[in-house]
């Protein structure tokens, strides 16, 4: 993997010199040497020894990220600082786990008592929207783990950045935690810029949310594991349906607007899938090498088939330039699931072959469910490390997971870039081996 940034660009912006002794140091049984992380602790970006060697030979230090964790000296005085927390964009399993982890860490570990929950995403900052602020306490968040969604609600749609910063000033907020996807991180960057222009000391820390696991420089994002788990159940159901009828076809549409990680990973978890279609890999329907011919062959041989399609796959079938956008400017994808259902049904009808096709779209159910055990653990780490970073006065950064460690990544390094399934990766090759599907293109 190539990375087009320098070590200087991985440095995390500080609001100022951290001069306050962390209240954690006063806890009993704390080892000042072993229980804290220094700003000098780093995690290698690339662990390939050849790449490291090559950099050293060029006189450059290997690329690395700052390690997350509690600092001995912090920037904010816990007894005075006020924090705000907002969740934006689509729902994702684990949002409540993160809210809970942030609140508990702030309250019990640092002694921060003033934590504002902003309702319904960025709308919550805008006076005209009229959403009241929720005061977040340990009691309020104690039991939110079993409910999915976000206890604060969310929204899409642009809001005036200067009004958002006005609102932060009015509330005397020192730390803003923003949990959301690429759009939220763009908004967070603009909010941090406006804060800088006004010379305010407000830390903006992001926790990247992407159920599709597609954010650049984030090796794993929360909610993905849960999504794969539940998608696997849907595949199981589709397979049972398909096997139960002659020429049964189970067609499942999964999340994955630009990246097919959920579809590919769920397929490996439940290898009943015969065909996987993801945005990164082109495919044709018609012709000797198209999907329909392959499906017909499969039905002839085995009498049933399971197809998984990621929502962003096959958008070429809808022509270009006709896509509408949602309130936040995200392109509304055409529905490849319904399209495939129609085309498959029409194909077999025209050939006089009876089929029984069951279409399953579990997307909204998956997004809104609570996190599974793995994701809950992961969210706990993310939320607590976000608190450590923010209390230390770090800003314009997000908490990421990289090479098995939690790290700080400047927002500027991730915005506008996306992680995708490489056709040459072990993941995709194993999918091809597990399904035996080959390629569905007529172009060679
Ligand atoms: P998802 O992955 O679910 O789409 P997201 O964070 O990308 O999550 P969006 O609805 O796209 O969700 O964006 C969240 C919020 O950030 C919205 O209120 C949106 O208007 C705002 N936003 C998005 N892009 C920008 C931008 N370039 N500048 C300012 N605000 C933005
Ligand atoms: Mg978005």
């Amino acid at each position: 993997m190539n990375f087009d940034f320098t070590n200087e660009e991985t440095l995390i912006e500080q609001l100022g010199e951290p001069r306050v002794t962390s209240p954690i140091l006063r806890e009993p049984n704390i080892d000042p040497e072993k229980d804290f992380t220094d700003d000098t602790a780093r995690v290698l970006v690339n662990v390939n020894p050849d790449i490291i060697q090559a950099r050293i030979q060029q006189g450059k230090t290997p690329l690395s990220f700052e390690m997350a964790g509690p600092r001995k000296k912090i920037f904010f005085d816990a007894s005075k600082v006020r924090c705000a927390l907002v969740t934006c964009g689509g729902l994702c399993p684990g949002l409540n786990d993160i809210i809970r982890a942030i609140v508990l860490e702030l309250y019990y570990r640092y002694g921060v008592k003033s934590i504002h929950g902003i309702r319904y995403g960025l709308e919550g900052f805008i006076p005209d929207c009229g959403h009241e602020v929720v005061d977040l306490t340990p009691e309020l968040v104690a039991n939110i783990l079993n409910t999915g969604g976000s206890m604060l609600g969310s929204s899409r749609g642009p809001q005036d950045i200067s009004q958002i910063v006005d609102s932060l000033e009015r509330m005397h907020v020192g730390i803003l935690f923003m949990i959301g996807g690429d759009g939220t991180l763009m908004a967070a960057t603009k909010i941090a810029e406006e804060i800088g222009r006004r010379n305010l000391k407000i830390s903006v820390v992001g926790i990247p949310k992407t159920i599709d696991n597609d954010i650049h420089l984030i090796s794993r994002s929360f909610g993905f594991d849960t999504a794969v788990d539940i998608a696997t159940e849907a595949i199981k159901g589709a397979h049972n349906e398909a096997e139960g009828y002659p020429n049964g076809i189970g067609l499942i549409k999964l999340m994955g607007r630009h990246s097919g990680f959920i579809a590919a990973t769920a397929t490996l978890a439940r290898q009943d899938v015969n065909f996987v279609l993801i945005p990164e890999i082109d495919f044709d329907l018609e012709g000797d090498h198209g999907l329909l011919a392959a499906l017909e062959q499969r039905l002839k041989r085995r009498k049933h088939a399971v197809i998984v399609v990621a929502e962003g796959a096959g958008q070429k079938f809808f022509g270009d330039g006709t896509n509408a956008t949602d309130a936040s400017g995200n392109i509304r994808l055409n529905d490849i699931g319904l399209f495939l259902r129609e085309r498959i049904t029409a194909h077999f009808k025209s050939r006089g072959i009876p089929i029984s096709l069951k279409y399953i779209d579990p997307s909204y159910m998956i997004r809104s469910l609570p996190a599974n055990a793995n994701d809950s653990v992961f969210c706990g780490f993310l939320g607590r490390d976000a608190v450590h970073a923010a209390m230390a006065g770090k800003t314009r950064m997000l908490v990421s997971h990289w090479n098995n460690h939690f790290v700080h990544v400047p927002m500027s390094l991730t915005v506008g870039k996306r992680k995708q399934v490489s056709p040459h990766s072990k993941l995709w090759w194993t999918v091809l081996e597990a399904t035996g599907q080959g390629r569905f293109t007529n172009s060679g």
Side-chain angles (χ1 to χ4, degrees):
M1 227 188 294
N2 278 325
F3 299 96
D4 58 350
F5 53 85
T6 63
N7 258 330
E8 286 65 44
E9 287 168 313
T10 67
L11 297 180
I12 303 297
E13 195 177 321
Q14 278 280 151
L15 289 175
E17 183 74 25
R19 295 207 187 92
V20 179
T21 300
S22 169
I24 298 177
L25 254 178
R26 293 195 288 273
E27 287 179 13
N29 303 321
I30 284 286
D31 183 332
E33 299 314 312
K34 295 186 182 153
D35 293 332
F36 292 87
T37 308
D38 279 340
D39 276 352
T40 50
R42 315 272 304 173
V43 175
L44 280 174
V45 172
N46 203 320
V47 288
N48 180 333
D50 292 341
I51 292 177
I52 295 173
Q53 194 63 34
R55 278 189 74 91
I56 291 171
Q57 274 166 4
Q58 290 164 11
K60 296 182 191 160
T61 26
L63 283 177
S64 60
F65 290 129
E66 183 177 290
M67 180 101 81
R71 299 322 200 230
K72 266 187 254 183
K73 288 284 180 193
I74 59 176
F75 179 78
F76 288 104
D77 175 350
S79 62
K80 315 270 183 325
V81 69
R82 288 163 194 269
C83 300
L85 216 159
V86 66
T87 54
C88 311
L91 295 181
C92 179
L95 287 169
N96 283 337
D97 296 72
I98 290 185
I99 295 171
R100 187 174 183 272
I102 290 177
V103 172
L104 295 189
E105 188 70 17
L106 282 170
Y107 197 95
Y108 288 123
R109 229 55 222 279
Y110 285 93
V112 176
K113 297 293 182 304
S114 182
I115 313 166
H116 303 307
I118 308 297
R119 301 294 321 267
Y120 302 114
L122 298 183
E123 281 190 14
F125 289 109
I126 308 298
D128 283 351
C129 293
H131 304 309
E132 283 189 11
V133 166
V134 189
D135 281 324
L136 294 171
T137 58
E139 296 74 48
L140 198 64
V141 301
N143 296 318
I144 60 175
L145 295 186
N146 297 328
T147 50
S150 161
M151 71 162 290
L152 294 174
S154 187
S155 68
R156 293 194 187 276
Q159 302 301 341
D160 185 65
I161 299 295
S162 106
Q163 281 200 51
I164 294 173
V165 181
D166 289 347
S167 169
L168 292 171
E169 282 201 74
R170 269 196 304 272
M171 289 189 285
H172 302 289
V173 164
I175 296 174
L176 171 62
F177 295 100
M178 296 187 69
I179 313 168
D182 51 353
T184 306
L185 299 178
M186 292 278 222
T189 305
K190 290 187 180 166
I191 292 169
E193 278 165 9
E194 179 62 18
I195 287 170
R197 270 194 291 276
R198 297 189 192 185
N199 275 323
L200 301 171
K201 297 289 185 194
I202 304 176
S203 151
V204 182
V205 170
I207 296 155
K209 171 203 71 88
T210 153
I211 202 164
D212 296 346
N213 203 15
D214 61 352
I215 298 187
H216 184 54
L217 300 180
I218 314 274
S219 63
R220 172 184 166 188
S221 55
F222 73 89
F224 176 72
D225 202 78
T226 309
V228 170
D229 249 4
I230 303 166
T232 305
E233 291 298 305
I235 294 173
K236 202 194 293 180
H239 184 241
N240 291 343
E241 286 285 354
E243 262 196 323
Y245 302 86
N247 286 342
I249 300 172
L251 172 62
I252 309 138
K253 186 175 82 168
L254 293 175
M255 287 89 71
R257 291 174 57 81
H258 304 280
S259 309
F261 288 105
I262 295 179
T265 311
T267 294
L268 294 185
R270 186 87 208 169
Q271 303 197 357
D272 297 323
V273 179
N274 308 109
F275 306 100
V276 189
L277 308 167
I278 62 172
E280 295 91 330
I281 311 284
D282 184 31
F283 67 96
D284 291 323
L285 285 178
E286 308 289 346
D288 290 348
H289 301 287
L291 174 71
L292 294 170
L295 180 59
E296 201 176 314
Q297 286 303 317
R298 158 83 200 173
L299 289 183
K300 262 197 198 128
R301 277 198 325 274
R302 304 277 296 133
K303 292 277 178 281
H304 70 279
V306 175
I307 307 168
V308 167
V309 58
E311 61 184 321
Q315 293 298 306
K316 71 171 186 183
F317 296 118
F318 302 97
D320 42 48
T322 53
N323 287 94
T325 53
D326 71 11
S328 295
N330 301 302
I331 288 173
R332 274 194 204 284
L333 296 172
N334 287 294
D335 197 323
I336 185 69
L338 294 177
F339 173 82
L340 281 181
R341 180 171 75 175
E342 254 176 60
R343 292 295 296 268
I344 292 169
T345 307
H347 171 84
F348 285 100
K349 194 169 174 199
S350 74
R351 299 176 66 87
I353 303 171
I355 56 163
S356 165
L357 190 152
K358 306 283 163 47
Y359 177 57
I360 301 177
D361 178 356
S363 310
Y364 281 105
M365 190 190 89
I366 295 178
R367 285 173 204 281
S368 56
L369 283 177
N372 69 7
N374 253 341
D375 268 328
S376 281
V377 173
F378 190 65
C379 288
F381 288 130
L382 281 175
R384 288 173 197 278
D385 275 337
V387 170
H388 296 314
M391 288 302 291
K394 295 174 189 296
T395 189
R396 239 186 268 218
M397 56 147 275
L398 42 91
V399 182
S400 161
H401 191 249
W402 193 259
N403 282 335
N404 249 341
H405 292 277
F406 289 88
V407 296
H408 300 159
V409 176
M411 282 176 187
S412 55
L413 290 190
T414 63
V415 286
K417 296 197 181 120
R418 195 166 275 131
K419 195 170 70 175
Q420 289 195 302
V421 176
S422 159
H424 310 290
S425 61
K426 190 183 190 99
L427 175 64
W428 187 245
W429 271 93
T430 315
V431 166
L432 293 182
E433 285 159 9
T435 56
Q437 71 182 40
R439 281 162 52 81
F440 315 118
T441 54
N442 296 310
S443 57

